[in-house]
Amino acid sequence: MTTGSRQDRDRDGAAQPQRFVISFAGFNRPWAVWIAHRLEEHGHRVALQRWDPQNSPGIAQALDDLARSGSRVLLILSERYFSAGTHTDEEWNTALRTVTDDHPDRFAAVCLTDAPLPSAVAVLEKTDLWGLDAYEAEYRVLRRLELPTDRIGAETGRRGPRFPNDPPEIWGRVPRRNPRFTGRNDVIGRLRAALTEAPPGAATVTLLGLSGVGKTQVATEYAYRFASEYDVVWWVPAEDRPTLRERLADLAPALGLPRGSGSYGEQIRAVLEALRRGSPYHRWLVVFDGCDNPDDLTDLLPQGAGDVIITSRNREWASRHTSLVEVPLYARPESITFIRRRAIRLTGEEADQLAEALEDYPLALDQTAGWLADSPLTVGDYLRLLRSRLDSREAVTVSDDYPLPFPTALAILLNNVRENFPDALALLRLFVFFAPGPVPLRLLREFPAADVPEQLAGLINDQIRWNAALNKLVQFSVVRLEYSDLSVEEGGGLETVQLHRMVHGIVREDLSADEAEPLSRAVRQVLAAADPGRPSDSRLWPRYAELIPHLESSGVLTSTNPRIQNFLLHCLRYLILAGEYRTCLRLAELTDAVWRTMLGDDHDQVRELSYHYGGALRMLGHFKRAETLAKAVADRMLAERGDRDLETLRATSTYAGVLLSTAKFDQARELLEHAFARYRELLGEDDSTTLNAENNVAVALRLLGRYQEAYDTDLDTLRRRERVLRVRHIATLSSGIGCAMGLRLMGRYREALARQEQGLKLNSQVLGANHPQTLRAEHNLGMCLRRSGDIPGAGARLRSVLERSTRVFGATFPWTLMVASDYATYLREYGDIGEARRISEEVVRGYQTQLGLAHPYSIGTVGNLGLVLRAQGERAEALSLAEQALVGMRGAVGERHPWTLGCALNATGHRNITGHFEDAVSLSRETLRGCEQVLGPDHPMTLSAQIALAADLRSVREDVEAQKHEDAGLRALTRTLGPQHVHTVSARQQMRPYWDFEPQP
């Protein structure tokens, strides 16, 4: 039954559609969008008009313009609607009476606040919506507009915005909304347009501007203003990569994703995959706040149907596939409105004078107006003080990018704090020895009593004084408070203090060395006391991620205290294990220079540092530097302690690991076999360190092409680890991957596939689908599928692993190059030959840059590129690359290595196809003999060499011998791989076989 409606109806009784204009303050946009959607669901036409009287001759004229549209006008009233300009209540009363007299029954209103409003609002007969649920709010809107109420909640199937009082399903640590947020509607409009107009999967926008100009405030306001259009809104502090990764990983449990082993890398990959798929939530917004180094974030940017906002001072983001929206200084009307909201006692003229003096710089306006709000100082006196400081050049020197009055204004504010609020000044000075950005207050509350500086003891131990000092800093906008998402009962509440980078720098510079030393020492002690002590325990990684940003600012890298140095080493170990190689490398480089000067090259701490430093270098592909560093440590330990010392064995094993990366395989094998023998003698056969050494020997043997020996060693390690550790231990699972790889390289494809399928299931169950070791297992499974003949399955696996590796590690990361090489060879045979060439060329460039022209991986991938050129008809160029690969591989690993035999197999084909038949036959005979001796008569490469020799013999009309080799090869392929295997079928069809070089992990 319909009640309270005078709306016209057609002859069938249906309500006729009407036209409405909804006028709203930008702050209340979610309500405007929701009301518009509900009216449209009832068949009406709605236009939205943001209320901006500053751009109109006056409020009466602006309201009159709304009425002249011919539509009914619905005003959404709130304090923000009436404070959008600088008009008085009396001006509003006059305007409202005038327009309602001129346009009777044209205006209606809903109200979102219970705060006092201008008295003439009564003529609008407003209905209140604050504190209601969606049903009651819709009912009241319809009743006020005299529309039928019998279809409340009806939907036409078009997905609409969320009811404004219902928060998104996931709302992650978005800063509190600034009740004094002013203007910026043009910036928010450009931001919204850039996100909505971006191509699918590419909605990433960078808010660019000076420090303190309000980028974070704009992003925060956008998140609140458009919250109803997202299911997930997640805020990520991005000043440094460890904090960035920690916060992004925290989204995993919020999305309902399993934590797996707790690895940040695993959780981040799961999060990025869930966002890409849009499951479980399709509409999401992720904000990365304060990312001034694009390299920290590029590989972690989400893709998919959602939106990404970055705030940054770095214009380099323009070249990183993001749209730029610049955040300028305030326009003068915005400055005046903001100042009067901040300092109500100031007149419009005084606010204009202050804005002029401070050049409309938002942070300076905020801090200065916050002080003047309660200060007896007049604006005139303040401006004279500001001018005298500028004339005397007493301002703190900062970047030329910032308006000159800002540091001067801040210096005046700090002088006021120094003179009148000493506790607040003491607290602020302590804060600046943490990094700019979030200061974890929990750490300060846990301050070791013995380490509290004398001048802070009373303040830190007195909660009332502490709170009073903190509140005074907040009042002056020197710091901002952030609260945990958890309830108070769960340990939530005040969590961090946000200290602006500019304030941080100016306060820090203002301290003398004598003042700074005890404060920095105290912060170092606070950080060291928070060290969980077990960097290998991934459950403790969030604690380490909280500490990493503050290492440099507090002076941890230069401390002479052994306790602080050990704490730093724990942090570097965490960074290696968590995959934060770039951050680890940067910190290790800085520390290495300091420690060598301070402690000497031979100090135990310097040696310990070298393991983390070298590990980061190696993982990032800086192999020559890693080799130089590791060799120096190993030589020194060997000379000082001999070859039976456990620390010497650790150093030589580390050196051998780098030698494997630089293709010094025989030298590495000798060192690793020696270490294995000594560990077995000193620690026993089943000690975990001994088993790690045995695993390293297997890796060396596999790289030397001694596949059977490598497999036997891996199998022994696997069985011991299953017994000593457990079947599902991460090291045991790693040995399982090694065994499956060994079976595949020996040509035992069915066994390899069965083992790797089971291994992938176990790795996924124990570590999660996106753990690096699981990706390694999935990559090997893809190769096993290809060798077993499941071409579609292989392509899907390899493509998936490459996409994830590129996104997480980057395109030039050593692991990514390996996967890319294998995927390119797949594409050459079964996919897009053009894409195969593009990837192959990138892989060659990557390896040649990292490893040099003479490394087997550079040489082998050049041979792979030659096969692509052959497939594209560039035969002469392909032959040149094939011969180059053959000569290079002979020099790199010797005549009898399987890689050299594979290059020879390819060269025979290139010679044949370019008409060099006799040369092809000669090389084919030599290659077949080598394969039989090295790999055995039934290995797939041996049988490929036999089929290739048959083709070459047929080219020189040696048909009888050709048939003999072809028949023998076909019988062996049928027996070992099966009659329908792709290799057998190709041989039967007389398709010439080729060999793919595969870089190995």
Side-chain angles (χ1 to χ4, degrees), residues 162-181:
R162 182 183 294 99
F163 179 58
N165 284 347
D166 295 337
E169 295 292 328
I170 298 174
W171 182 259
R173 294 195 187 179
V174 180
R176 291 192 172 189
R177 196 172 194 179
N178 183 357
R180 296 186 295 271
F181 184 84

mmCIF file of all heavy atoms in Angstrom, residues 162-181:
data_model
loop_
_atom_site.group_PDB
_atom_site.id
_atom_site.type_symbol
_atom_site.label_atom_id
_atom_site.label_comp_id
_atom_site.label_asym_id
_atom_site.label_seq_id
_atom_site.Cartn_x
_atom_site.Cartn_y
_atom_site.Cartn_z
ATOM 1 N N ARG A 162 27.242 1.098 -1.994
ATOM 2 C CA ARG A 162 26.876 0.634 -0.659
ATOM 3 C C ARG A 162 26.208 1.770 0.117
ATOM 4 O O ARG A 162 26.521 2.946 -0.087
ATOM 5 C CB ARG A 162 28.134 0.172 0.063
ATOM 6 C CG ARG A 162 27.913 -0.395 1.444
ATOM 7 C CD ARG A 162 29.232 -0.757 2.112
ATOM 8 N NE ARG A 162 29.893 -1.859 1.406
ATOM 9 C CZ ARG A 162 30.869 -1.688 0.534
ATOM 10 N NH1 ARG A 162 31.310 -0.478 0.254
ATOM 11 N NH2 ARG A 162 31.416 -2.720 -0.067
ATOM 12 N N PHE A 163 25.293 1.398 1.010
ATOM 13 C CA PHE A 163 24.672 2.388 1.895
ATOM 14 C C PHE A 163 25.779 3.059 2.709
ATOM 15 O O PHE A 163 26.642 2.386 3.275
ATOM 16 C CB PHE A 163 23.672 1.692 2.810
ATOM 17 C CG PHE A 163 22.990 2.604 3.777
ATOM 18 C CD1 PHE A 163 22.252 3.694 3.335
ATOM 19 C CD2 PHE A 163 23.082 2.378 5.154
ATOM 20 C CE1 PHE A 163 21.623 4.542 4.234
ATOM 21 C CE2 PHE A 163 22.464 3.218 6.053
ATOM 22 C CZ PHE A 163 21.721 4.307 5.596
ATOM 23 N N PRO A 164 25.792 4.399 2.781
ATOM 24 C CA PRO A 164 26.929 5.106 3.404
ATOM 25 C C PRO A 164 27.216 4.718 4.839
ATOM 26 O O PRO A 164 28.367 4.823 5.282
ATOM 27 C CB PRO A 164 26.506 6.579 3.287
ATOM 28 C CG PRO A 164 25.596 6.618 2.114
ATOM 29 C CD PRO A 164 24.843 5.321 2.132
ATOM 30 N N ASN A 165 26.196 4.317 5.587
ATOM 31 C CA ASN A 165 26.450 3.920 6.973
ATOM 32 C C ASN A 165 27.019 2.517 7.089
ATOM 33 O O ASN A 165 27.377 2.093 8.193
ATOM 34 C CB ASN A 165 25.164 4.017 7.805
ATOM 35 C CG ASN A 165 24.821 5.460 8.141
ATOM 36 O OD1 ASN A 165 25.643 6.352 7.972
ATOM 37 N ND2 ASN A 165 23.603 5.694 8.610
ATOM 38 N N ASP A 166 27.077 1.784 5.972
ATOM 39 C CA ASP A 166 27.663 0.444 5.973
ATOM 40 C C ASP A 166 29.087 0.535 5.447
ATOM 41 O O ASP A 166 29.296 0.869 4.274
ATOM 42 C CB ASP A 166 26.860 -0.514 5.078
ATOM 43 C CG ASP A 166 25.459 -0.749 5.600
ATOM 44 O OD1 ASP A 166 25.247 -0.552 6.808
ATOM 45 O OD2 ASP A 166 24.580 -1.123 4.793
ATOM 46 N N PRO A 167 30.099 0.262 6.266
ATOM 47 C CA PRO A 167 31.486 0.383 5.795
ATOM 48 C C PRO A 167 31.808 -0.716 4.797
ATOM 49 O O PRO A 167 31.091 -1.723 4.700
ATOM 50 C CB PRO A 167 32.292 0.220 7.084
ATOM 51 C CG PRO A 167 31.420 -0.628 7.961
ATOM 52 C CD PRO A 167 30.010 -0.227 7.652
ATOM 53 N N PRO A 168 32.892 -0.561 4.025
ATOM 54 C CA PRO A 168 33.340 -1.659 3.162
ATOM 55 C C PRO A 168 33.588 -2.925 3.975
ATOM 56 O O PRO A 168 33.819 -2.877 5.186
ATOM 57 C CB PRO A 168 34.650 -1.121 2.565
ATOM 58 C CG PRO A 168 34.516 0.358 2.638
ATOM 59 C CD PRO A 168 33.732 0.635 3.890
ATOM 60 N N GLU A 169 33.545 -4.060 3.295
ATOM 61 C CA GLU A 169 33.765 -5.336 3.973
ATOM 62 C C GLU A 169 35.118 -5.354 4.680
ATOM 63 O O GLU A 169 35.264 -5.900 5.767
ATOM 64 C CB GLU A 169 33.692 -6.483 2.951
ATOM 65 C CG GLU A 169 32.329 -6.672 2.307
ATOM 66 C CD GLU A 169 31.286 -7.156 3.292
ATOM 67 O OE1 GLU A 169 31.656 -7.895 4.227
ATOM 68 O OE2 GLU A 169 30.115 -6.769 3.155
ATOM 69 N N ILE A 170 36.119 -4.749 4.040
ATOM 70 C CA ILE A 170 37.463 -4.670 4.626
ATOM 71 C C ILE A 170 37.897 -3.209 4.588
ATOM 72 O O ILE A 170 37.896 -2.581 3.530
ATOM 73 C CB ILE A 170 38.458 -5.550 3.846
ATOM 74 C CG1 ILE A 170 38.038 -7.027 3.925
ATOM 75 C CG2 ILE A 170 39.876 -5.373 4.386
ATOM 76 C CD1 ILE A 170 38.896 -7.935 3.069
ATOM 77 N N TRP A 171 38.251 -2.694 5.748
ATOM 78 C CA TRP A 171 38.663 -1.289 5.875
ATOM 79 C C TRP A 171 39.956 -1.293 6.677
ATOM 80 O O TRP A 171 39.961 -1.479 7.877
ATOM 81 C CB TRP A 171 37.566 -0.505 6.582
ATOM 82 C CG TRP A 171 37.814 0.962 6.747
ATOM 83 C CD1 TRP A 171 38.246 1.574 7.890
ATOM 84 C CD2 TRP A 171 37.638 1.991 5.783
ATOM 85 N NE1 TRP A 171 38.343 2.938 7.675
ATOM 86 C CE2 TRP A 171 37.983 3.224 6.399
ATOM 87 C CE3 TRP A 171 37.252 2.007 4.446
ATOM 88 C CZ2 TRP A 171 37.925 4.437 5.729
ATOM 89 C CZ3 TRP A 171 37.196 3.225 3.776
ATOM 90 C CH2 TRP A 171 37.519 4.405 4.410
ATOM 91 N N GLY A 172 41.080 -1.121 5.999
ATOM 92 C CA GLY A 172 42.366 -1.379 6.625
ATOM 93 C C GLY A 172 43.190 -0.161 6.940
ATOM 94 O O GLY A 172 43.880 0.380 6.061
ATOM 95 N N ARG A 173 43.136 0.305 8.182
ATOM 96 C CA ARG A 173 44.018 1.333 8.728
ATOM 97 C C ARG A 173 44.068 2.607 7.892
ATOM 98 O O ARG A 173 45.126 3.240 7.765
ATOM 99 C CB ARG A 173 45.425 0.788 8.912
ATOM 100 C CG ARG A 173 45.515 -0.302 9.963
ATOM 101 C CD ARG A 173 46.946 -0.545 10.354
ATOM 102 N NE ARG A 173 47.037 -1.702 11.244
ATOM 103 C CZ ARG A 173 48.176 -2.159 11.734
ATOM 104 N NH1 ARG A 173 49.312 -1.568 11.428
ATOM 105 N NH2 ARG A 173 48.210 -3.212 12.537
ATOM 106 N N VAL A 174 42.966 2.964 7.299
ATOM 107 C CA VAL A 174 42.904 4.253 6.621
ATOM 108 C C VAL A 174 42.981 5.340 7.696
ATOM 109 O O VAL A 174 42.308 5.241 8.722
ATOM 110 C CB VAL A 174 41.593 4.382 5.824
ATOM 111 C CG1 VAL A 174 41.536 5.731 5.114
ATOM 112 C CG2 VAL A 174 41.472 3.237 4.827
ATOM 113 N N PRO A 175 43.819 6.370 7.510
ATOM 114 C CA PRO A 175 43.902 7.413 8.537
ATOM 115 C C PRO A 175 42.535 8.015 8.836
ATOM 116 O O PRO A 175 41.633 7.998 7.990
ATOM 117 C CB PRO A 175 44.839 8.455 7.894
ATOM 118 C CG PRO A 175 45.651 7.677 6.909
ATOM 119 C CD PRO A 175 44.745 6.608 6.387
ATOM 120 N N ARG A 176 42.392 8.515 10.033
ATOM 121 C CA ARG A 176 41.125 9.139 10.400
ATOM 122 C C ARG A 176 40.819 10.311 9.477
ATOM 123 O O ARG A 176 41.705 11.059 9.084
ATOM 124 C CB ARG A 176 41.179 9.608 11.853
ATOM 125 C CG ARG A 176 41.217 8.451 12.833
ATOM 126 C CD ARG A 176 40.989 8.917 14.250
ATOM 127 N NE ARG A 176 40.849 7.765 15.144
ATOM 128 C CZ ARG A 176 40.467 7.855 16.403
ATOM 129 N NH1 ARG A 176 40.183 9.034 16.924
ATOM 130 N NH2 ARG A 176 40.353 6.770 17.152
ATOM 131 N N ARG A 177 39.545 10.440 9.173
ATOM 132 C CA ARG A 177 39.134 11.508 8.265
ATOM 133 C C ARG A 177 39.372 12.862 8.920
ATOM 134 O O ARG A 177 39.068 13.058 10.105
ATOM 135 C CB ARG A 177 37.659 11.351 7.919
ATOM 136 C CG ARG A 177 37.229 12.155 6.699
ATOM 137 C CD ARG A 177 35.823 11.805 6.289
ATOM 138 N NE ARG A 177 35.516 12.310 4.964
ATOM 139 C CZ ARG A 177 34.353 12.126 4.350
ATOM 140 N NH1 ARG A 177 33.392 11.425 4.960
ATOM 141 N NH2 ARG A 177 34.136 12.614 3.140
ATOM 142 N N ASN A 178 39.913 13.779 8.159
ATOM 143 C CA ASN A 178 40.224 15.105 8.669
ATOM 144 C C ASN A 178 38.964 15.965 8.650
ATOM 145 O O ASN A 178 38.471 16.318 7.576
ATOM 146 C CB ASN A 178 41.310 15.755 7.805
ATOM 147 C CG ASN A 178 41.743 17.104 8.324
ATOM 148 O OD1 ASN A 178 41.209 17.605 9.294
ATOM 149 N ND2 ASN A 178 42.722 17.697 7.655
ATOM 150 N N PRO A 179 38.415 16.306 9.816
ATOM 151 C CA PRO A 179 37.179 17.102 9.819
ATOM 152 C C PRO A 179 37.382 18.507 9.269
ATOM 153 O O PRO A 179 36.411 19.189 8.951
ATOM 154 C CB PRO A 179 36.788 17.133 11.305
ATOM 155 C CG PRO A 179 38.072 16.922 12.041
ATOM 156 C CD PRO A 179 38.895 16.010 11.180
ATOM 157 N N ARG A 180 38.646 18.941 9.146
ATOM 158 C CA ARG A 180 38.921 20.270 8.608
ATOM 159 C C ARG A 180 39.368 20.222 7.144
ATOM 160 O O ARG A 180 39.867 21.219 6.614
ATOM 161 C CB ARG A 180 39.997 20.962 9.454
ATOM 162 C CG ARG A 180 39.587 21.229 10.888
ATOM 163 C CD ARG A 180 40.653 22.047 11.616
ATOM 164 N NE ARG A 180 41.899 21.317 11.745
ATOM 165 C CZ ARG A 180 42.203 20.508 12.753
ATOM 166 N NH1 ARG A 180 41.315 20.326 13.721
ATOM 167 N NH2 ARG A 180 43.348 19.879 12.804
ATOM 168 N N PHE A 181 39.201 19.058 6.496
ATOM 169 C CA PHE A 181 39.619 18.956 5.091
ATOM 170 C C PHE A 181 38.879 20.012 4.280
ATOM 171 O O PHE A 181 37.657 20.160 4.371
ATOM 172 C CB PHE A 181 39.301 17.567 4.540
ATOM 173 C CG PHE A 181 39.798 17.362 3.135
ATOM 174 C CD1 PHE A 181 41.099 16.972 2.889
ATOM 175 C CD2 PHE A 181 38.956 17.578 2.056
ATOM 176 C CE1 PHE A 181 41.568 16.784 1.593
ATOM 177 C CE2 PHE A 181 39.401 17.403 0.756
ATOM 178 C CZ PHE A 181 40.713 17.001 0.525
#
